[in-house]
Each structure stands twice: as structure tokens, then as C-alpha cells.
Amino acid sequence: MRIRETVLISLSIGCLILWVLEFRRTRTFGEHYWLIMLCLAFLLGFMYVRGVHLNRQEQKPPVQVKPSRKKKKKS
């Protein structure tokens, strides 16, 4: 896992924890709706960055060794 992925997933979890704590404190969903949306945005960003990273790894062509061809002598 790269540093970008770690930061995005950590921010997502942090926003979710803050939202739960604020929801328990005020018991209103509407006031802290932005925290749950921010959590989802970070989570979607994490999924996007991870997908791009995995696609780049798959697209690298494997190293192929070409066999050497010996020329046949014509008689």
C-alpha cells in the first residue's frame, strides 16, 4: 500500500469516527451530514487511486527473451 492510499483510508476512517461521535452527542443526522459525505469522498478517492495503481502494475509487459535464430547454410 502506497502513502497516498494509506492517507486516504486513514482520513476516511477518521471522518467516520468523528461523525459517529458527533451523532452520539447531538442525535441529529442533518447537522453533521457533511462528515459522512467527506468520509465517502475519501473512500471513493482511495478506491480510485488503488484501481489506477493496480492497472498500472498489470499493464507492464512481461520481459520476453527472443530466441536467437541461427542461419542455415544453403548448399
Side-chain angles (χ1 to χ4, degrees), residues 66-74:
K66 294 182 180 179
S68 61
R69 296 182 183 176
K70 295 183 179 179
K71 294 183 181 178
K72 294 182 179 178
K73 293 183 181 179
K74 293 183 181 179

Side-chain angles (χ1 to χ4, degrees), residues 23-51:
F23 182 73
R24 287 181 62 199
R25 185 176 66 88
T26 60
R27 299 285 182 203
T28 57
F29 183 75
E31 289 181 26
H32 306 290
Y33 182 73
W34 63 274
L35 277 170
I36 198 73
M37 288 294 110
L38 197 58
C39 171
L40 288 174
F42 286 134
L43 186 62
L44 289 174
F46 165 76
M47 291 171 58
Y48 175 76
V49 168
R50 180 116 186 190

Side-chain angles (χ1 to χ4, degrees), residues 45-59:
F46 165 76
M47 291 171 58
Y48 175 76
V49 168
R50 180 116 186 190
V52 167
H53 178 69
L54 290 177
N55 281 340
R56 284 186 185 164
Q57 283 183 345
E58 288 176 2
Q59 288 180 358

